Amino acid sequence: MERLSGLDASFLYGETPETPTHTAPLWIFEPTAEGKSAFEAFREHIRARLHLLPFFHRKLALSPIQLDHPVWIDDDDIDLDYHVRQVALPKPGTDQQLRTLVSRLHMILLDRARPLWQFYVIDGLQGGRFAVYAKLHHAAVDGGAGMVIMETIFSSSPEPGHVPPPPPKKKEAPPNIFELISASYASFFRQQQQFFASWPDISKALANVSRRMNEDVEKRPELPTLAPRTIFNTVVSNQRSLGTCTISLSETKDIGKALDAKLNDVVMAICAGALRQYLEKRDALPPESLITAVPVSLRASGNTDINNQITTMVCRLATNIADPIERLHAIKESSNDSKARLSDIKDVMPRDISWFGAPIVMTALARMSGQADVADALPPIINVLISNVPGPRKEKYCVGAKMLHVYPVSAIGHGLALNITLISYVDQLDFGLIACRDTLPDIEKLAADIVDQFEELKRAVEQRRSIGKPARAKSRTKSAQRAQVAT
């Protein structure tokens, strides 16, 4: 029995039929060996590896009368017919058909009476390829944990590695009501002890925050702190649209080296340019800069726990600046400032918060906010979420087939109808854009805008070099064929 942290549980409480909080990688593979069924091979591949990750065997157990966060309990009775399913695309099996299918599958909530994962093996893609859509609930898995799962179930060569046999099964009785109540009280009092023990660090963090506030006043910063309202900031339905695209990782890094910027700064600049271009075409670009929330991992190096260890920082996207290089420099400045502010408080940020009755209160608030259209009534704090997840630097294989892409399919919520997530894989950045279809029915155009802005930023860097402006590092532009919208 393992209790969910407050952060893990929050993804359960915020889930409604309109706002599922599962995430999913969409893995695209080359064809399997001739005559071999991708579904049957993948099903047996997963069956042989279920014991390698406890996540596959954990399901939820609620605390009595919803006093505290739920707990994970073991479930050895895994129904593979539910967890591993087969879907076939109709001919011709285009990538657009695949995205449409995945967007519909992404609307369906996971069954909370079972372990919170499902794999869909999708056959019928053009060229003999197949895909796996892996639905994983955010209550158990963040981006870092998703990469741990990926590294565990896939190999780095066509030949699968040795899989140790599963340990003997231990029959454990589910926790009774007294154990659950006792665990809730113990967790509550442990948090109080940790709070008082961390008070010296909290005092130091408060002093740092106070110092920065004084510096802000002296610099007379711009007063507006809320995000401008955009078409993305609205109540969402359960309908989803998915866009994907791919650009070169090495060329993106070259841009960063030339302009003395981090990879994430360049990624945000590309996304900012795409958002500006998309909104301009619709005469919906606000005069103020859009604001993004950027997830930040709190994982220590080498940590492989399957849970959530993230926080977020807020950054201005400088969408009010037309020049792509000036926009990048403004984003870099805002990002550095946000990182410094986060550093002041990161070590004392509570990883686990609970109070008696939290499940009832938080779930009711989530449902009420959607039903009352709160997102349409209140001013937005952020406009969009942009997440960059480091992925494998070596090619991955499954059932002998090489992985070609790993497109992330994330979650959206009321007031946040668009989520842009990307995963690095070998020498490419695979973008997954998930949105409310009622708000962005043409999300593939925004995906195309990302590729356009990548090319525009490359051209701007080359033009700067050609007129003799200094660059931090020399780089050679590679073929633009790696940067293309998945079609």
Side-chain angles (χ1 to χ4, degrees), residues 2-13 15 21-23 53-60 70-73 110 112 114-118 135-149 299 303-310:
E2 179 185 347
R3 176 181 164 279
L4 276 72
S5 71
L7 177 58
D8 292 341
S10 68
F11 292 105
L12 294 173
Y13 306 151
E15 186 170 64
T21 51
H22 49 253
T23 63
L53 289 164
F55 163 72
F56 287 119
H57 292 272
R58 297 192 307 187
K59 67 179 182 180
L60 294 170
V71 298
W72 295 115
I73 60 174
L110 286 163
R112 293 194 183 185
R114 305 172 185 265
L116 297 178
W117 61 274
Q118 273 186 314
K135 186 185 294 187
L136 313 168
H137 204 286
H138 215 324
V141 177
D142 63 7
M147 291 304 102
V148 172
I149 293 173
R299 288 179 181 270
N303 183 289
T304 59
D305 295 339
I306 306 299
N307 56 15
N308 287 276
Q309 299 183 48
I310 54 173

Side-chain angles (χ1 to χ4, degrees), residues 30 57 120 154 208 286 302:
E30 65 181 9
H57 292 272
Y120 287 82
F154 298 140
N208 289 334

Side-chain angles (χ1 to χ4, degrees), residues 277-461:
Q277 182 171 315
Y278 181 85
L279 292 173
E280 271 189 324
K281 291 175 183 176
R282 286 148 188 80
D283 195 25
L285 178 67
E288 306 88 0
S289 169
L290 269 63
I291 296 178
T292 182
V294 181
V296 177
S297 176
L298 298 176
R299 288 179 181 270
S301 179
N303 183 289
T304 59
D305 295 339
I306 306 299
N307 56 15
N308 287 276
Q309 299 183 48
I310 54 173
T311 186
T312 57
M313 70 177 192
V314 175
C315 181
R316 293 187 179 275
L317 288 174
T319 49
N320 54 333
I321 299 176
D323 184 86
I325 292 183
E326 289 183 15
R327 186 188 310 128
L328 173 55
H329 287 317
I331 290 172
K332 174 185 170 183
E333 183 178 351
S334 178
S335 175
N336 288 341
D337 181 69
S338 295
K339 289 174 185 175
R341 293 176 190 273
L342 179 62
S343 178
D344 289 341
I345 61 173
K346 186 171 67 173
D347 292 339
V348 297
M349 291 179 65
R351 309 290 176 90
D352 188 15
I353 298 177
S354 66
W355 65 88
F356 294 126
I360 297 176
V361 175
M362 298 301 292
T363 300
L365 287 175
R367 292 186 179 275
M368 182 183 69
S369 67
Q371 294 169 356
D373 294 344
V374 172
D376 288 338
L378 296 179
I381 299 174
I382 60 173
N383 301 112
V384 62
L385 190 144
I386 301 175
S387 181
N388 183 1
V389 180
R393 297 306 308 274
K394 295 182 179 180
E395 292 176 337
K396 291 295 177 183
Y397 294 81
C398 180
V399 298
K402 183 172 72 175
M403 182 185 294
L404 303 174
H405 294 282
V406 49
Y407 294 117
V409 187
S410 196
I412 59 174
H414 294 306
L416 196 64
L418 172 64
N419 182 311
I420 302 175
T421 303
L422 61 143
I423 296 177
S424 57
Y425 174 56
V426 192
D427 187 33
Q428 61 196 37
L429 292 174
D430 287 334
F431 286 75
L433 292 73
I434 191 73
C436 174
R437 189 162 71 230
D438 296 337
T439 305
L440 283 85
D442 57 351
I443 195 170
E444 71 280 354
K445 294 181 180 178
L446 180 56
D449 289 339
I450 287 177
V451 177
D452 288 344
Q453 289 300 309
F454 168 67
E455 294 293 342
E456 181 176 338
L457 193 54
K458 282 200 303 180
R459 288 193 297 269
V461 170

Side-chain angles (χ1 to χ4, degrees), residues 48 75 87 104 169 193 208-209 251 267-268 335 342 389:
D75 180 14
V87 185
R104 291 173 179 169
K169 289 186 178 181
Q193 292 175 340
N208 289 334
V209 172
E251 290 182 0
V267 165
M268 283 196 290
S335 175
L342 179 62
V389 180

